[in-house]
Amino acid sequence: MNQTFTKQEKIRFKHVDFAGIVFYPRFLEMLNDLVEDWFEEALKRPFSKIHETNGIPTVDLKVQFKKAVRLGETLTKKLWVIKLGVASVTCGFLFEDEQGKTCMEGEVTLVNVAIAEDRNNIKAEPFNEEMKNKISSFII
């Protein structure tokens, strides 16, 4: 059964600018939090473990900001898989306000990498079968 990973986030003072709306880089931090939560909660591969020997960097990001979000509002953040490659995954994402209106949407591509002990040599590493199966359940 294919599914969407969903989380809610309340907009706090730390997210907004002087006008009282979310400062756009904070949306990207919220997106990264969503990806990190997806890996930990749904894929059972927390970043704290991944980053001991590997990484999962963002290599491509497409974002459209559709609507301002204000202090005190709650966003519903959704993530799903568009494409699963050998060592990469492209996810779609959507942030909606309390009325279901789109505030931000786009795509993010992540690559599973192996990192050498000296941290200087980084190369793509295929997902193992278990991880591919877990990620596949989010293909829409």
Side-chain angles (χ1 to χ4, degrees):
M1 176 196 255
N2 295 350
Q3 54 191 325
T4 299
F5 182 74
T6 304
K7 297 284 282 195
Q8 291 196 317
E9 180 145 0
K10 185 173 182 174
I11 301 305
R12 300 180 182 281
F13 183 71
K14 69 180 181 177
H15 296 126
V16 300
D17 60 18
F18 186 69
I21 59 174
V22 174
F23 181 45
Y24 76 93
R26 300 301 162 252
F27 275 120
L28 302 181
E29 291 172 350
M30 288 183 236
L31 172 60
N32 192 73
D33 291 346
L34 181 62
V35 167
E36 194 169 335
D37 289 345
W38 179 54
F39 268 83
E40 182 170 354
E41 296 171 22
L43 305 179
K44 306 300 183 210
R45 190 172 175 216
F47 272 34
S48 60
K49 295 295 181 198
I50 291 173
H51 289 282
E52 288 175 357
T53 57
N54 294 69
I56 191 87
T58 297
V59 297
D60 190 40
L61 179 62
K62 297 176 181 97
V63 178
Q64 291 184 345
F65 300 100
K66 301 285 192 175
K67 180 182 173 301
V69 180
R70 300 197 171 278
L71 180 62
E73 292 184 48
T74 299
L75 289 177
T76 299
K77 307 183 300 183
K78 299 177 182 180
L79 181 135
W80 61 91
V81 174
I82 296 170
K83 180 183 174 191
L84 175 59
V86 174
S88 66
V89 59
T90 300
C91 297
F93 60 86
L94 175 71
F95 287 19
E96 296 176 320
D97 68 11
E98 295 163 354
Q99 289 74 43
K101 293 184 181 171
T102 300
C103 302
M104 181 180 85
E105 63 185 351
E107 294 180 8
V108 59
T109 301
L110 310 163
V111 174
N112 190 55
V113 298
I115 303 171
E117 278 188 45
D118 65 5
R119 308 297 259 185
N120 290 322
N121 189 12
I122 300 172
K123 65 178 183 170
E125 179 175 86
F127 289 113
N128 64 36
E129 285 303 313
E130 179 185 4
M131 188 57 52
K132 282 196 269 188
N133 288 336
K134 289 178 181 178
I135 292 170
S136 292
S137 71
F138 289 90
I139 296 175
I140 303 262

